[in-house]
């Protein structure tokens, strides 16, 4: 009779050990993954810093041509807010708006939306030249980015983009970009969806990139960096 009791004891011991070790093993595995993500994050940031540092020290060594430089693309992908400056040609003054935007890297385009009964819409109908100021404001995890190191905001860069902003008149095209914009900003349909809300596209001609050390890169479509 002792053998079955020994077997039962071994089984109970194995079960108890498994229940005891499983959480520990899970914790170790989770910490390992977090460490790997942090290492990836640190590596990507160092690559960005080195890229910017080399350009500011020796701009001619890195001619920047379309598509947009990697630093610009990375920041645009991970950011959502921009300040849009438009020109009121009648009053000879400028107008500033806080905007949510979506960068479409496959088309090298920024899309935004605005109510048609706003001052900026009226001005864009008359004059298309705009400036966008984008800063990757550091936020702990306010808008989770899926764990991708590239999508974490750092507060290290600000970018001024100059280009043309146009209202997308083609209905099918506007709805395509509206869907992409809503997917990127799912908590703000009130600013994106509606009969009175127009879709805007910004085609970038020039960029000025600055980091927290006040190192600046100037880039434009025709000349590269300077």
């Amino acid at each position: 009779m002792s053998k079955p009791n020994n077997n039962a004891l071994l089984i109970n011991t194995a079960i108890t050990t498994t229940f005891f070790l499983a959480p520990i093993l899970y914790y170790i595995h989770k910490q390992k993954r977090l460490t790997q993500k942090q290492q990836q994050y640190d590596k990507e940031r160092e690559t960005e810093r080195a890229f910017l540092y080399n350009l500011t020290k020796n701009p001619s060594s890195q001619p920047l041509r379309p598509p947009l430089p990697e630093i610009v693309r990375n920041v645009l992908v991970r950011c959502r807010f921009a300040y849009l400056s438009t020109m009121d040609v009648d009053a000879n003054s400028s107008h500033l708006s806080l905007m949510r935007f979506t960068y479409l890297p496959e088309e090298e385009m920024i899309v935004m939306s605005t109510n048609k009964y706003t001052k900026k819409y009226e001005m864009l109908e008359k004059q298309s030249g705009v400036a966008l100021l984008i800063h990757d404001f550091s936020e702990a995890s306010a808008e989770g980015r899926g764990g991708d190191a590239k999508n974490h905001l750092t507060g290290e860069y600000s970018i001024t983009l100059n280009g043309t902003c146009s209202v997308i008149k083609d209905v099918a095209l506007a709805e395509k970009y509206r869907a992409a914009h809503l997917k990127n900003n799912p908590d703000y349909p009130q600013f994106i969806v509606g009969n009175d809300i127009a879709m805007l596209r910004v085609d970038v001609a020039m960029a000025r990139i600055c980091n927290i050390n006040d190192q600046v890169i100037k880039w434009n479509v025709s000349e590269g960096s300077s």
Side-chain angles (χ1 to χ4, degrees), residues 29 33-35 37 43 62 66 68-69 107 145 149 202 221:
H29 177 68
R33 290 185 60 187
L34 289 175
T35 300
K37 286 184 179 180
K43 183 178 180 181
Q62 293 285 347
L68 290 174
E107 300 186 47
R145 304 290 189 241
V202 177
V221 171

Side-chain angles (χ1 to χ4, degrees), residues 41 45 75 78-79 136-139 145 151-155:
Y41 174 86
R45 287 297 165 267
V75 175
R78 66 182 179 242
C79 292
D136 66 332
F137 295 102
S138 182
E139 49 183 67
R145 304 290 189 241
N151 291 331
H152 288 280
L153 305 182
T154 67

Side-chain angles (χ1 to χ4, degrees), residues 175-193:
E175 292 310 308
K176 171 188 172 182
Y177 293 136
R178 191 187 310 277
H181 191 37
L182 182 61
K183 182 178 179 181
N184 198 45
N185 298 275
D187 297 329
Y188 297 88
Q190 67 272 30
F191 298 111
I192 301 173
V193 180

